[in-house]
Amino acid sequence: MNRKEVKQKAVDYLTNQIQITQKHITDLATDAQNDAKSSAGDKHETGLAMMHLEQEKLNVKLSELINMLQQAQKLPEVKQMDKVTLGSVIKTDKAIFYVSVAIPALKVQNQTVICISPVAPLMQVLQNGKQGDEIVFNKISYQIQQIF
């Protein structure tokens, strides 16, 4: 496993989520158009209002996903890292972490990689850690075995 591979998995995940969200937005717009052609009255207006609210929520989500994708694409792939920083993959005795964007854990070469934001509480403890360091978070001790 290398950082470029982990980064690509994160980018792929975000790209997929963007596509799914865009499809939901398109489907809602189509449903609203079809509903507008066939209905009238208060019930119809309520349904359209609900669809509009859902569409607004999806547009906010889409914007957040696009922003996260742009952040993930900027992360370094090959620069050698000797301490924990943005873009680091940290292998500890208990888990593997990727300091990137807050998305669900990824499977990379049959290993689980937990993606954490640079502002996550765990990252505040890991920040500037080096190979061999031991950190404690939520009463759990982590031994940093490797940073790449």
Side-chain angles (χ1 to χ4, degrees):
M1 175 186 325
N2 61 45
R3 192 169 350 123
K4 185 174 183 174
E5 188 176 7
V6 175
K7 175 184 171 179
Q8 188 58 53
K9 289 278 189 181
V11 167
D12 292 347
Y13 171 82
L14 288 164
T15 301
N16 184 48
Q17 291 301 304
I18 288 169
Q19 291 169 349
I20 290 169
T21 304
Q22 287 171 329
K23 183 175 180 347
H24 286 308
I25 290 168
T26 303
D27 290 348
L28 266 177
T30 303
D31 289 348
Q33 275 184 331
N34 291 339
D35 198 38
K37 292 177 186 175
S38 64
S39 299
D42 289 343
K43 188 175 179 182
H44 165 72
E45 294 300 322
T46 303
L48 281 178
M50 296 297 284
M51 281 187 216
H52 183 69
L53 286 173
E54 185 63 25
Q55 203 167 18
E56 284 180 10
K57 281 195 255 180
L58 287 170
N59 281 323
V60 168
K61 180 180 177 182
L62 179 62
S63 178
E64 290 171 355
L65 287 167
I66 290 170
N67 184 32
M68 290 170 69
L69 177 61
Q70 290 169 343
Q71 290 175 22
Q73 289 172 326
K74 292 178 186 175
L75 294 173
E77 294 176 359
V78 292
K79 181 182 136 193
Q80 181 63 35
M81 295 186 177
D82 57 351
K83 64 181 179 177
V84 176
T85 187
L86 182 62
S88 297
V89 177
I90 307 119
K91 183 176 181 186
T92 71
D93 58 335
K94 298 198 176 49
I96 300 172
F97 301 100
Y98 179 43
V99 184
S100 59
V101 292
I103 58 175
L106 304 169
K107 278 286 187 194
V108 182
Q109 295 183 2
N110 293 324
Q111 293 183 311
T112 301
V113 178
I114 301 167
C115 300
I116 60 173
S117 163
V119 296
L122 175 60
M123 181 55 188
Q124 303 308 308
V125 178
L126 282 169
Q127 186 72 39
N128 295 321
K130 295 181 174 66
Q131 186 171 333
D133 286 356
E134 184 176 328
I135 61 112
V136 178
F137 180 73
N138 282 346
K139 300 178 183 176
I140 299 172
S141 174
Y142 297 87
Q143 182 79 32
I144 299 176
Q145 297 175 338
Q146 188 178 6
I147 300 170
F148 55 96

